[in-house]
Amino acid sequence: MIVIPTYSELKKNAKLDNEEYKRIKVAILGDTSTQFLTIALKGFANQYKLSLDIFEADFNQIDRQVFDKSSDLYAFAPQIIILFHAAEKMLLRFYKNDVEEKTRFGANHIQLVANLYDTLSSNIGCKVIYYNLCEINNSILGNYANKTTASFIYQLRKINFELMNLAEAKQDLFICDICALQAQIGRSVSFAQSIYINTDMVLSLDLVPLIAKNTMDIIACMYGRMIKCIVLDLDNTLWGGVIGDDGIENIQIGNLGIGKAFTEFQYWLKNLKERGILLAVCSKNTEAVAKGAFKEHPDMVLQLEDFCVFVANWENKSDNMRYIQSVLNIGFDSMVFLDDNPFERNMVRENIKDILVPELPEDPALYIDYLCTMNLFEVTGLSIEDTQRTALYQEDAQRAILQRSFTNELSYLASLEMVSEVDVFNSFNIPRVAQLSQRSNQFNLRTVRYSESDIVRMAANSTYVTFTYTLQDKFGDNGLICVVIMRKESEQQLFIDSWFMSCRVLKRSMEQFTLNTLVKYAMQNGYTQIIGEYIPTAKNDLVKDHYAQLGFTAHDNKWLLLVNDYEEKKTYIKSKIKIYEQRYFTATTE
Amino acid sequence: MNKDILLQQLSDLFRDVLDNNTIVLDDKTTAKDVDEWDSLSHIQLVVAIEKKFKIKFSSAEIQNWQNVGQMAESIIKKLAI
């Protein structure tokens, strides 16, 4: 089991608030006392370099705070609301119901949660994190409770199940699975009866840190913190034994030795890859020997094409990690490194700030359990791009090889035969637009994160002009890689509210191409000025001169472009006009 | 267990949990005498004591202590069994 900070440690962390951390306004509404949770959340937030401004309602005020629009909650205007109905309180209410009401208990509760969410969503527009119910079996009906709708456990499980359906339907509703967390540590540890009787607290001091961690994992993910790539060692990490010494026929995978542990580990990794996590190899091995294992061993679950980068050599691993990072162009803080060797782990940890290096257990059979309890792969939404991500990065590697064969950058760009589709936000691309808004850190001028529901609202609001760009070339289709949102400030002026782009397509003249379309829109619709703004973050230094390089001039801490003086930029990208675009442009053929 | 030794151990535990190195407990110390000792940190103290001495207090005990002396007596009684 992983080492989670204790409540006492979190309480000390909570005091280390840093003014430079991003501030997030969070409200916690519970029907039991939530003071411990509040402090633990603050402690974890600091660990994630976030700072929580928490509004804690007096307990048992959920309905009043939500349904009364003059309540303190509305005055506070939170970005995130945590709702916590305790199973212990639900059980008390359940007891007071007659048999007829008991069978409707779950359905009624789900209706309440839906009403709470809808009210919050339409009036505050915040995200809602709802805690599902910890299982309590009151033993009134013995095991027969599983055979009748009138039992508490039936209604409780029904609620937990229906909550998942509700969350799938409601865009900004997220479930924190505290029921699973209780199962992980056991009811006898997660609940202290004597403390509940004395204080009305239902979460033990052992469970509070786990819940706080999982809640903060969800919140941090909403603000762009997520793991995108796993870098893997090979010997004794993906199989048992040392292939260079033991030979391919003696490595433990499949039925040999403890091979089952590694086979299951590879299945787990393969499923992560299929949902969009990149896999890379960083191993001290002769490349041909290491690759041979994947090509020739019949029991290997992972195949060479599952890896976006494969590095096997005798260089030190920190240098190899830097190489992998430079190929993928993602931050080290979105990478996790798995290696059975404590020496390699320490070396990477000490030389590469921000990378996550789990202290894997000695027994490989425990790898999966250990990594599962770390909850590394939180995600707030999925898109079709996820399943294709590895292929996209592999195409990048091919481009890099071609690029080396050209001495002239421009002739390389011309040889790529690039085409971009320009479109507006529509129901097909909204999930991807929201995802790119969450994931883009480096090429992001203002780093305002938008959720799917925000994007839907903007698409329908005529104050905003939205642009999406895809990019394909002779190696493949990168999909939707760039988004611009402009706000109409006046009849003359457009403000670039958002401009973010995937770093995979840097240096392909995509920026110039994008600006050409923005200016074209401005001209055809009578605007004379485009205003841009750069808001620095820890990660977007890359674009600090973006507007200057594109010919904007400094203007009141922002950047100004005069549309009528604009000269179309040279690019190597052809544009493909979509039907939707006719809303913006008069038809032209290019 | 000797009560003086126990009070010494409890003082250390209080200092750690309440993050205040000046705490010195005696029989008559009450929550009013220690700034950081509020109803919330009281629960933390109870849980920390239970863990340290591998004992469990009853629901009534947690409510009824009037001072540190009574708390110490509860602990001694449980450890003696």
Side-chain angles (χ1 to χ4, degrees):
Chain A
M1 179 123 356
I2 56 154
V3 184
I4 289 230
T6 62
Y7 175 77
S8 294
E9 286 161 351
L10 290 170
K11 189 172 160 186
K12 281 166 199 160
N13 276 353
K15 292 173 191 156
L16 305 173
D17 213 359
N18 188 323
E19 280 187 11
E20 286 173 18
Y21 295 166
K22 179 165 184 67
R23 291 197 79 77
I24 304 172
K25 289 168 86 174
V26 177
I28 303 181
L29 307 184
D31 59 0
T32 57
S33 169
T34 52
Q35 288 151 291
F36 281 132
L37 189 62
T38 298
I39 291 166
L41 282 170
K42 283 188 173 172
F44 260 112
N46 287 340
Q47 207 164 316
Y48 290 180
K49 300 196 170 130
L50 294 171
S51 166
L52 299 190
D53 184 2
I54 295 188
F55 166 82
E56 200 182 358
D58 289 342
F59 80 85
N60 228 350
Q61 286 207 342
I62 299 179
D63 293 5
R64 198 190 77 71
Q65 291 286 347
V66 174
F67 295 124
D68 171 6
K69 277 152 213 153
S70 64
S71 73
D72 298 341
L73 177 70
Y74 286 84
F76 178 70
Q79 291 154 292
I80 295 168
I81 296 185
I82 299 169
L83 291 181
F84 176 31
H85 286 115
E88 289 75 8
K89 295 279 165 183
M90 307 269 286
L91 178 58
L92 272 181
R93 274 204 299 282
F94 182 79
Y95 284 143
K96 294 172 190 163
N97 286 346
D98 62 29
V99 181
E100 164 62 21
E101 289 169 328
K102 279 183 166 113
T103 59
R104 278 186 282 117
F105 188 81
N108 287 342
H109 186 72
I110 289 295
Q111 190 55 54
L112 170 68
V113 177
N115 289 346
L116 289 167
Y117 171 81
D118 289 341
T119 307
L120 292 171
S121 180
S122 54
N123 290 294
I124 305 183
C126 58
K127 295 181 172 57
V128 176
I129 297 175
Y130 192 83
Y131 290 170
N132 67 2
L133 301 176
C134 288
E135 289 199 359
I136 311 174
N137 189 348
N138 63 356
S139 292
I140 299 275
L141 291 155
N143 286 287
Y144 187 79
N146 290 278
K147 205 171 153 59
T148 170
T149 59
S151 74
F152 183 63
I153 200 76
Y154 181 100
Q155 295 298 324
L156 182 148
R157 287 180 178 147
K158 178 182 168 130
I159 289 170
N160 281 352
F161 179 76
E162 292 296 343
L163 279 172
M164 293 192 276
N165 287 332
L166 191 65
E168 196 180 24
K170 309 277 184 185
Q171 216 141 52
D172 283 333
L173 176 63
F174 299 86
I175 306 296
C176 180
D177 194 351
I178 72 169
C179 180
L181 298 175
Q182 169 173 281
Q184 188 184 313
I185 63 171
R187 174 94 182 144
S188 60
V189 182
S190 71
F191 179 72
Q193 193 77 49
S194 60
I195 288 172
Y196 170 60
I197 296 300
N198 278 291
T199 66
D200 230 23
M201 286 186 195
V202 294
L203 307 173
S204 79
L205 283 177
D206 292 305
L207 184 58
V208 161
L210 265 180
I211 294 182
K213 176 190 172 349
N214 278 266
T215 308
M216 276 317 300
D217 286 342
I218 298 173
I219 293 175
C221 189
M222 290 168 179
Y223 288 87
R225 179 188 197 273
M226 69 188 87
I227 297 292
K228 298 173 184 169
C229 175
I230 310 175
V231 184
L232 294 151
D233 170 53
L234 296 178
D235 291 329
N236 287 313
T237 301
L238 284 192
W239 55 69
V242 177
I243 192 164
D245 296 339
D246 303 340
I248 184 170
E249 64 283 2
N250 291 317
I251 57 171
Q252 299 180 42
I253 181 97
N255 291 321
L256 190 66
I258 58 161
K260 189 176 164 192
F262 295 102
T263 301
E264 289 185 7
F265 189 43
Q266 289 200 10
Y267 272 115
W268 186 69
L269 292 165
K270 192 159 181 120
N271 271 267
L272 282 166
K273 177 243 158 187
E274 280 161 6
R275 92 109 167 103
I277 302 286
L278 299 169
L279 303 182
V281 166
C282 178
S283 161
K284 276 192 175 149
N285 255 311
T286 303
E287 187 174 343
V289 175
K291 285 191 169 168
F294 293 96
K295 285 183 195 151
E296 286 153 34
H297 201 295
D299 295 330
M300 207 56 78
V301 177
L302 289 169
Q303 300 296 308
L304 278 183
E305 58 267 25
D306 291 324
F307 301 105
C308 57
V309 189
F310 196 107
V311 179
N313 57 32
W314 301 93
E315 308 295 317
N316 83 59
K317 290 209 175 180
S318 325
D319 290 343
N320 282 335
M321 291 300 295
R322 287 196 194 92
Y323 168 76
I324 293 170
Q325 189 266 342
S326 73
V327 172
L328 297 179
N329 214 344
I330 56 178
F332 276 121
D333 61 353
S334 62
M335 296 168 74
V336 51
F337 174 57
L338 301 183
D339 194 317
D340 67 295
N341 184 333
F343 170 82
E344 303 288 9
R345 290 201 298 258
N346 276 331
M347 163 144 193
V348 168
R349 205 180 277 139
E350 274 169 27
N351 287 293
I352 297 175
K353 194 173 138 278
D354 293 337
I355 194 165
L356 188 62
V357 186
E359 204 54 27
L360 285 181
E362 264 183 58
D363 182 353
L366 304 178
Y367 288 173
I368 298 179
D369 259 10
Y370 177 84
L371 293 168
C372 285
T373 53
M374 284 186 83
N375 189 35
L376 293 171
F377 305 104
E378 198 62 58
V379 63
T380 52
L382 296 173
S383 76
I384 295 165
E385 261 79 2
D386 290 322
T387 54
Q388 303 159 346
R389 190 160 290 121
T390 299
L392 295 174
Y393 280 90
Q394 284 163 345
E395 287 161 9
D396 280 351
Q398 288 178 307
R399 287 183 195 103
I401 292 164
L402 174 70
Q403 186 170 12
R404 269 183 240 132
S405 71
F406 282 95
T407 45
N408 181 331
E409 182 77 21
L410 300 180
S411 49
Y412 161 68
L413 288 179
S415 76
L416 282 174
E417 301 161 18
M418 294 182 283
V419 178
S420 174
E421 250 176 38
V422 187
D423 207 337
V424 298
F425 293 173
N426 61 58
S427 53
F428 301 105
N429 63 26
I430 280 170
R432 172 59 182 163
V433 170
Q435 188 183 46
L436 200 59
S437 166
Q438 304 293 323
R439 291 176 71 101
S440 304
N441 295 314
Q442 300 177 79
F443 197 113
N444 198 334
L445 272 303
R446 294 179 74 242
T447 321
V448 185
R449 308 283 191 198
Y450 292 118
S451 67
E452 279 193 47
S453 48
D454 297 330
I455 304 285
V456 170
R457 272 194 285 275
M458 278 188 282
N461 184 339
S462 63
T463 320
Y464 290 96
V465 199
T466 63
F467 296 87
T468 68
Y469 302 84
T470 68
L471 184 63
Q472 62 185 72
D473 62 24
K474 65 180 182 183
F475 289 108
D477 191 349
N478 289 285
L480 195 161
I481 41 74
C482 178
V483 172
V484 175
I485 301 168
M486 294 204 289
R487 196 171 60 224
K488 299 172 185 168
E489 297 290 73
S490 68
E491 290 198 351
Q492 286 79 42
Q493 200 181 72
L494 292 164
F495 174 70
I496 303 176
D497 171 89
S498 285
W499 186 338
F500 47 86
M501 190 173 89
S502 164
C503 281
R504 290 205 325 267
V505 298
L506 277 179
K507 294 189 186 159
R508 304 256 200 101
S509 73
M510 193 63 215
E511 301 91 309
Q512 288 76 11
F513 176 84
T514 305
L515 186 61
N516 284 346
T517 60
L518 300 183
V519 172
K520 188 172 158 195
Y521 168 82
M523 280 181 158
Q524 294 192 349
N525 292 278
Y527 294 93
T528 56
Q529 298 182 344
I530 298 178
I531 305 285
E533 186 184 22
Y534 166 70
I535 302 179
T537 69
K539 290 182 173 174
N540 69 354
D541 197 54
L542 177 76
V543 289
K544 77 172 184 292
D545 299 322
H546 173 75
Y547 286 120
Q549 281 162 1
L550 287 174
F552 285 64
T553 50
H555 179 77
D556 287 347
N557 292 323
K558 294 194 174 73
W559 296 90
L560 169 68
L561 185 77
L562 296 173
V563 172
N564 296 329
D565 298 348
Y566 185 75
E567 276 181 41
E568 189 166 289
K569 302 267 187 263
K570 172 86 182 141
T571 77
Y572 296 86
I573 303 171
K574 285 200 172 124
S575 97
K576 201 165 145 189
I577 308 285
K578 296 278 283 197
I579 303 277
Y580 299 100
E581 232 196 345
Q582 291 173 358
R583 218 168 86 186
Y584 288 170
F585 298 122
T586 45
T588 50
T589 43
E590 280 184 60
Chain B
M1 181 185 271
N2 178 310
K3 202 169 180 181
D4 291 338
I5 296 173
L6 179 59
L7 282 174
Q8 182 58 50
Q9 288 184 355
L10 284 178
S11 296
D12 289 344
L13 184 146
F14 272 57
R15 286 174 192 175
D16 183 41
V17 171
L18 302 178
D19 207 11
N20 173 353
N21 283 327
T22 65
I23 296 173
V24 180
L25 300 177
D26 61 40
D27 266 355
K28 298 200 174 54
T29 310
T30 67
K32 282 190 198 118
D33 303 321
V34 182
D35 280 348
E36 297 83 2
W37 190 356
D38 55 23
S39 60
L40 204 60
S41 54
H42 182 66
I43 301 302
Q44 258 190 290
L45 290 167
V46 168
V47 173
I49 294 168
E50 287 184 334
K51 282 205 167 140
K52 180 174 171 65
F53 297 102
K54 299 190 175 61
I55 54 175
K56 284 277 177 203
F57 295 116
S58 72
S59 304
E61 279 172 320
I62 294 172
Q63 276 183 2
N64 293 342
W65 298 314
Q66 299 298 317
N67 54 37
V68 170
Q70 291 181 9
M71 193 185 229
E73 277 156 30
S74 284
I75 298 169
I76 289 170
K77 215 158 63 185
K78 283 183 190 292
L79 289 174
I81 297 166

